[in-house]
Amino acid sequence: MTTGRKEKRFLDALESLFTGAEVEGNSGFVNLMHIKHNYFKSVCGKLMTEIDKRAEKETAFREELFDKLYTFFGRHFCESGAIYFRNLPALSKSKTYERVYTDDRDVALSWKTQTLYYVKSDVLVRSMPIELRDRDNPKRTKLFYFDASGIEHNQNNKRREFVFEFIKVEKQVVHLAASSKKNNRKTDIEDIIKKVKKTNSGKITLTEDDLQNAFRVFKRQTEVDLFINKDARSFLREQFNLWIYQYLFQGETIFEEKRIRQIQAIKDTAYDIIDFIAQFEDELVKIWNKPKFAKNSNYVIPLERINNKKLVGKIKKHKNFSKQTTEWTELGISKENAQAPIDTKYFKDLEIEILGQLGDLDKSLDGWLIKSENYQALNTILPKFKEQIQTIYIDPPFNTGDDFDYLDHFRDSSWLSLIYNRLEIAKSFLTKNGNIFVQLDWNANHLGKILLQNLFPQCSEIIWNTNATKDEEAGLFSYKSFGAKYVRQHDTLFQCATSDDYKFIKLWKPNRNTTQLNIGWLDLISIPNKPNPEKIEDYDFFIEKYDAEGNLNREEIQATEKIFPIGDVWNDTYSFMQSELRTSESLGFKTQKPENLLRRIIQSTTEKNELILDYFCGSGTTISVAHKLKRKWIGIESSDHFNEFWFNGDGKKIGMLGRMKIVVSGDKSFTAVDKKRRPHLSKDIDWRGGGAFKYYTLEQYEETLRNSRYADSDELELNSLKSPFEQYVFFGDDKLAHIVKHKTGKKTGNGSLEINLHDLYPNLDIAESLSNILGKQIRRLTADKVTFTDGTTKKINPANMTKKEKQDFISLIKPYLWWGE
């Protein structure tokens, strides 16, 4: 049977929309597109066989069937292949949201991408020719060809930047290579111009303007938000049922048996296609939600904490000790400082011996610093830290289009999915009386509040005056004074909890302008000295401060003057936006929050050794304050400023890891952005330094996609006893399990197992990976095994395992490698 016009249009559109826009580069996303394409080819033939049976030889109905399918499915795909409400008919719009309302909720927030996981925003980059008119001679053109095959796609939601390099000149076309910018690499325009001139003997003359215009055209490619539908099958079936009623039944007046069969054939075919699409989307959901391997782990420990003199001698004589001292110098840490932090990345051969100095390993750590996209991190570490976090603070992108490293110009719908998916899982981390603080500004606080109220039964609001000064009016007279509108001077902090009985420690403050209390910027911590306090005498007042031995204690303060309870409008916490000199603690980070703001949040909701979480960690203020106040902490961040140093347009800056090493060293003073700094909090509490933490990287969704192995189309085996649209067609694929191999003995025929984990990722941290997935804290670590706090021990080095131990080990790590049914 010849292919009709509407049939071809539908099949072309289905392939294009299902597999997404054509992209190039070295990335998991590109691998995903290839996998999708192979999967499409494998199942499409089966689909056409079913359609041939249903349409028989009725050419007119066959064309109608493809026309109807084209109309429906075209409404629910975008250029990235995501499945959501792209273009809904009126009836669907009215019916879709009816079920969001319940007996106990008469108002609910709903948005276009609510059924989706937000993955990232990215540019679908392709190699492309570009033709530009010569400004000096409009009749002539200058030709370029950009090779995008070396582009590495974003692993996370980072702002995309490119570097361009000269390749060759061929047939009057200038060939340039585009790659992803790393560290401080820049495009050398002068070098490109020189090489073009030299290679082409001056026949093509380029100016800086020519190249900048060509770069702009290349960068102006399709930018998309990438999503995964949480339940594509249910979503599309529901939408189809609404659509078929509106577009078929409403137009029919006579239901003859033949017409009913035709309508049923359209529905059956649509359901097959939906099942076909949902197979792959469900696979992406499994990859998105699988736990991610820990890798590149290191520990930061003060040199003073290593009590073994022989071991200290080994460290100081180590070939990499000079690298350690160079790092101290770069961070402004003196070699003579007893709290100078040792980073085990320089001493991997001594790491186990160094960790032996800590005793009960995880218990002795003050924090965990994790480089990862935050949903992947939260989902991975949840078993280990479920219901253990006392306070969460996040300062997420405000949906302004102007925040650091994030693209952050999501439409409201994308922003809501980004925040909601992560709030929903973060809720599981809180203790029964825990708190979560979410900081937003006017761009998104109205949306954020409704999200939080849907998740948490207790939710209150704090106004932080970001222009706070000792003189109320002084902060208003500045560069902002001459704007056309009211001077914006506040952010909103939402404090939420899972129950009404959340932990709250009442704080008080003196009159900052007249006080004689020697407490700096600290608040007074009130402890009732009798049940149901009714007057100020019913409280005792304290500040937290370090004593001469380096212990953080509550130091009692006699309230001999009038003091005031902290309200929900904070006019006395100075910000970097306006009122506080940036020389105090600023790292040159645009959205950095002051330590005193986090100090108030932490002291009002936690006590010593309780656990703090920040999964939009930014410059690291939350974990810096938590560390100084002897709280445990977890910090999660994906961007390059996670490292000791990071680069922006202004040059080299101290990153989050560098900041935490400075904190461990004592944080008395340090140099950042070419000026001496000393955080006020360090002075107020007499911080002396100390503490230890671990930092590591997690495998990312993008890496899983890149490394997953799926059968080519001609290798895909479909169970003949089951419809290819219903069975789990990826059951036989290797995914990441190709690192496990069965080797047969030549003489005996007995098999042995080979586990080549490091073929997958170098520097895997198997102990931490097991700790995360089993939900157990690590007590001791050796090169071959890990012992958890419950007394159980697991082997972690496959090279030293028996066959039985290898089988047990594989069963433990299976969720990391293979996510079948």
Side-chain angles (χ1 to χ4, degrees):
M1 183 179 293
T2 58
T3 302
R5 179 178 61 85
K6 292 183 179 180
E7 177 179 342
K8 185 177 186 307
R9 181 183 68 165
F10 167 71
L11 293 176
D12 289 346
L14 180 61
E15 180 173 11
S16 175
L17 292 171
F18 178 66
T19 60
E22 182 181 355
V23 293
E24 295 181 63
N26 177 24
S27 74
F29 180 69
V30 174
N31 189 37
L32 162 65
M33 293 297 103
H34 292 324
I35 295 168
K36 266 190 166 185
H37 182 70
N38 287 338
Y39 172 58
F40 177 86
K41 288 193 299 182
S42 300
V43 181
C44 192
K46 305 285 184 182
L47 173 66
M48 293 309 299
T49 299
E50 294 298 318
I51 290 175
D52 289 341
K53 292 177 184 177
R54 291 164 186 159
E56 296 177 348
K57 297 182 180 180
E58 298 181 33
T59 304
F61 170 63
R62 187 184 182 92
E63 286 290 279
E64 180 195 8
L65 182 149
F66 284 112
D67 186 50
K68 293 293 190 291
L69 294 176
Y70 177 85
T71 301
F72 171 73
F73 286 102
R75 297 180 182 276
H76 296 92
F77 288 86
C78 68
E79 61 270 34
S80 67
I83 302 166
Y84 71 115
F85 298 123
R86 185 166 179 260
N87 180 19
L88 292 184
L91 181 65
S92 292
K93 290 176 183 176
S94 66
K95 295 290 186 183
T96 296
Y97 303 108
E98 283 185 358
R99 57 194 179 92
V100 304
Y101 307 109
T102 63
D103 292 339
D104 61 348
R105 181 178 296 162
D106 59 348
V107 176
L109 177 65
S110 190
W111 61 95
K112 203 170 189 179
T113 59
Q114 191 166 1
T115 62
L116 310 179
Y117 288 115
Y118 171 82
V119 178
K120 62 178 180 176
S121 295
D122 207 350
V123 179
L124 302 184
V125 183
R126 309 170 185 84
S127 297
M128 62 185 298
I130 292 174
E131 181 177 350
L132 297 178
R133 291 287 176 186
D134 190 327
R135 292 183 178 180
D136 297 327
N137 185 352
K139 293 183 180 180
R140 298 182 60 185
T141 59
K142 295 183 178 181
L143 303 176
F144 300 86
Y145 184 82
F146 285 85
D147 182 354
S149 59
I151 292 288
E152 292 186 11
H153 289 255
N154 283 347
Q155 288 194 23
N156 308 300
N157 188 35
K158 298 197 302 182
R159 201 177 296 277
R160 173 63 71 104
E161 294 185 74
F162 298 107
V163 174
F164 301 98
E165 295 176 297
F166 174 80
I167 301 178
K168 63 182 178 180
V169 176
E170 185 176 78
K171 295 180 180 180
Q172 302 301 301
V173 178
V174 177
H175 289 249
L176 300 169
S179 59
S180 303
K181 183 175 180 179
K182 293 182 178 179
N183 296 328
N184 209 26
R185 288 180 60 222
K186 295 181 179 179
T187 300
D188 190 337
I189 292 179
E190 290 186 5
D191 181 66
I192 293 174
I193 292 173
K194 288 179 182 178
K195 288 179 177 177
V196 169
K197 184 176 181 180
K198 181 180 179 180
T199 304
N200 203 52
S201 302
K203 294 178 182 178
I204 298 176
T205 57
L206 292 182
T207 66
E208 182 175 342
D209 284 346
D210 291 331
L211 287 172
Q212 293 288 12
N213 287 336
F215 297 159
R216 274 192 286 271
V217 174
F218 175 80
K219 292 174 185 177
R220 204 180 300 138
Q221 300 196 50
T222 306
E223 189 171 276
V224 295
D225 289 337
L226 302 177
F227 298 95
I228 307 170
N229 197 298
K230 297 175 182 177
D231 187 355
R233 182 175 283 100
S234 297
F235 169 78
L236 286 174
R237 284 191 174 193
E238 178 186 47
Q239 291 307 304
F240 182 81
N241 290 339
L242 292 169
W243 177 85
I244 199 171
Y245 173 79
Q246 184 173 16
Y247 280 85
L248 291 178
F249 285 103
Q250 281 192 344
E252 302 286 338
T253 56
I254 300 175
F255 290 95
E256 297 177 347
E257 182 181 354
K258 179 180 178 181
R259 186 55 179 163
I260 291 174
R261 286 202 308 269
Q262 290 178 340
I263 293 173
Q264 186 63 46
I266 293 173
K267 181 176 180 179
D268 290 344
T269 304
Y271 270 34
D272 282 345
I273 296 170
I274 289 169
D275 289 339
F276 152 59
I277 292 168
Q279 280 278 339
F280 198 89
E281 199 72 6
D282 289 349
E283 183 73 357
L284 297 185
V285 170
K286 291 175 184 177
I287 297 173
W288 179 247
N289 283 315
K290 93 166 187 77
K292 302 301 188 289
F293 277 113
K295 56 183 184 173
N296 304 323
S297 296
N298 298 292
Y299 295 80
V300 175
I301 304 166
L303 190 58
E304 184 185 55
R305 195 160 173 181
I306 302 174
N307 295 319
N308 186 318
K309 291 183 179 180
K310 185 177 180 181
L311 178 56
V312 171
K314 287 182 183 179
I315 291 171
K316 290 186 175 181
K317 292 178 182 178
H318 197 279
K319 62 181 180 179
N320 289 334
F321 188 65
S322 60
K323 294 180 180 179
Q324 178 68 86
T325 56
T326 298
E327 178 189 278
W328 290 343
T329 300
E330 291 177 341
L331 291 170
I333 299 171
S334 170
K335 298 178 185 178
E336 309 305 319
N337 186 341
Q339 301 288 4
I342 290 292
D343 188 331
T344 61
K345 72 179 178 182
Y346 298 117
F347 313 102
K348 298 307 285 186
D349 54 331
L350 299 176
E351 185 174 67
I352 296 297
E353 197 173 351
I354 292 171
L355 297 182
Q357 300 295 301
L358 297 180
D360 197 329
L361 185 54
D362 275 355
K363 188 177 180 180
S364 68
L365 294 177
D366 293 274
W368 292 262
L369 192 54
I370 304 170
K371 185 173 186 181
S372 171
E373 185 278 330
N374 48 23
Y375 182 90
Q376 304 296 302
L378 292 172
N379 190 55
T380 296
I381 68 173
L382 179 59
K384 184 170 182 175
F385 295 104
K386 186 176 182 180
E387 297 180 355
Q388 294 184 44
I389 305 295
Q390 191 59 43
T391 293
I392 299 172
Y393 168 86
I394 59 170
D395 178 19
F398 286 177
N399 201 18
T400 65
D402 194 34
D403 283 300
F404 61 89
D405 283 339
Y406 299 91
L407 286 174
D408 195 22
H409 53 268
F410 323 121
R411 290 167 295 186
D412 287 344
S413 183
S414 299
W415 185 87
L416 284 165
S417 290
L418 166 76
I419 301 301
Y420 183 77
N421 291 341
R422 288 147 183 81
L423 283 174
E424 191 175 32
I425 192 170
K427 181 179 178 181
S428 300
F429 282 84
L430 288 174
T431 62
K432 292 181 180 179
N433 64 346
N435 288 266
I436 180 170
F437 290 80
V438 180
Q439 182 155 343
L440 297 169
D441 73 357
W442 63 271
N443 288 280
N445 57 12
H446 57 298
L447 299 172
K449 184 173 185 178
I450 299 175
L451 279 186
L452 289 163
Q453 288 176 327
N454 283 345
L455 285 168
F456 299 95
Q458 177 62 238
C459 196
S460 59
E461 187 175 305
I462 299 166
I463 300 299
W464 175 40
N465 181 357
T466 54
N467 280 28
T469 60
K470 291 183 179 180
D471 180 343
E472 185 177 346
E473 281 74 34
L476 294 173
F477 195 81
S478 66
Y479 68 95
K480 290 184 177 183
S481 306
F482 305 100
K485 301 176 181 178
Y486 291 119
V487 177
R488 193 187 81 77
Q489 59 181 126
H490 84 278
D491 280 356
T492 303
L493 277 162
F494 295 108
Q495 179 185 5
C496 302
T498 54
S499 72
D500 293 339
D501 188 29
Y502 60 91
K503 176 174 283 192
F504 181 74
I505 302 167
K506 195 172 181 66
L507 302 181
W508 299 67
K509 65 177 181 177
N511 184 316
R512 303 290 186 188
N513 295 326
T514 62
T515 183
Q516 298 299 309
L517 299 178
N518 185 25
I519 63 171
W521 288 357
L522 299 177
D523 296 322
L524 296 171
I525 300 168
S526 65
I527 306 296
N529 53 39
K530 62 186 301 184
N532 304 315
E534 296 180 352
K535 54 185 183 297
I536 202 163
E537 289 78 15
D538 297 340
Y539 293 97
D540 295 323
F541 297 94
F542 303 84
I543 60 170
E544 289 185 306
K545 196 168 185 177
Y546 285 87
D547 61 21
E549 285 73 41
N551 300 309
L552 182 68
N553 297 316
R554 282 182 173 170
E555 179 181 303
E556 188 167 4
I557 301 294
Q558 299 299 322
T560 56
E561 61 187 54
K562 192 170 185 179
I563 58 175
F564 310 88
I566 303 296
D568 60 7
V569 177
W570 295 357
N571 287 317
D572 62 334
T573 304
Y574 308 142
S575 76
F576 298 140
M577 182 181 294
Q578 166 74 28
S579 55
E580 184 187 353
L581 290 175
R582 296 179 68 85
T583 54
S584 62
E585 61 189 64
S586 171
L587 302 174
F589 203 85
K590 189 173 181 181
T591 59
Q592 183 179 341
K593 298 302 180 288
E595 290 192 351
N596 202 39
L597 177 74
L598 272 300
R599 189 270 310 153
R600 176 170 287 174
I601 290 169
I602 289 171
Q603 286 188 323
S604 66
T605 57
T606 68
E607 298 176 85
K608 278 199 306 184
N609 296 317
E610 291 183 327
L611 196 52
I612 312 291
L613 167 65
D614 185 345
Y615 56 89
F616 282 100
C617 210
S619 64
T621 300
T622 304
I623 60 176
S624 173
V625 175
H627 193 93
K628 293 177 190 179
L629 292 176
K630 285 293 181 184
R631 273 65 170 179
K632 304 280 189 176
W633 52 266
I634 302 170
I636 300 169
E637 179 56 54
S638 63
S639 297
D640 290 339
H641 50 262
F642 175 96
N643 304 313
E644 282 88 357
F645 299 95
W646 61 287
F647 298 86
N648 69 356
D650 299 328
K652 187 176 179 180
K653 303 288 181 67
I654 291 176
M656 183 165 53
L657 182 54
R659 179 179 187 178
M660 291 309 298
K661 289 179 176 180
I662 291 170
V663 168
V664 169
S665 72
D667 207 18
K668 295 297 183 185
S669 66
F670 60 92
T671 300
V673 201
D674 300 324
K675 290 184 180 179
K676 282 285 186 181
R677 316 284 171 174
R678 183 178 184 189
H680 213 282
L681 178 62
S682 296
K683 176 183 175 182
D684 288 343
I685 65 174
D686 197 20
W687 167 245
R688 308 287 181 87
F693 66 90
K694 180 176 186 176
Y695 68 95
Y696 63 90
T697 303
L698 281 177
E699 170 195 21
Q700 295 298 282
Y701 176 70
E702 169 77 15
E703 292 178 296
T704 307
L705 289 175
R706 182 183 300 180
N707 291 317
S708 294
R709 292 189 181 180
Y710 287 84
D712 291 333
S713 57
D714 55 350
E715 298 174 347
L716 187 64
E717 294 183 7
L718 299 177
N719 186 341
S720 60
L721 300 178
K722 204 173 186 182
S723 164
F725 314 113
E726 296 174 2
Q727 66 175 296
Y728 180 58
V729 299
F730 303 109
F731 192 84
D733 291 302
D734 279 346
K735 299 170 188 181
L736 298 182
H738 55 270
I739 59 97
V740 179
K741 297 179 181 178
H742 187 272
K743 188 176 181 181
T744 304
K746 294 182 179 179
K747 294 183 179 180
T748 64
N750 294 327
S752 62
L753 284 173
E754 289 185 359
I755 305 173
N756 303 305
L757 285 169
H758 296 288
D759 289 350
L760 185 62
Y761 301 111
N763 304 318
L764 275 177
D765 185 343
I766 299 301
E768 191 70 37
S769 298
L770 291 179
S771 176
N772 284 330
I773 199 169
L774 296 175
K776 297 180 179 182
Q777 298 276 328
I778 298 173
R779 177 177 292 166
R780 286 188 302 275
L781 190 62
T782 70
D784 290 329
K785 64 183 180 181
V786 56
T787 301
F788 298 107
T789 51
D790 66 354
T792 58
T793 298
K794 301 295 180 184
K795 290 286 191 73
I796 57 175
N797 184 0
N800 295 331
M801 293 180 188
T802 65
K803 183 176 180 181
K804 175 64 168 59
E805 288 171 339
K806 287 180 180 180
Q807 290 172 336
D808 293 340
F809 178 71
I810 291 169
S811 68
L812 286 176
I813 65 169
K814 181 182 175 182
Y816 286 108
L817 301 175
W818 202 87
W819 38 92
E821 289 185 324

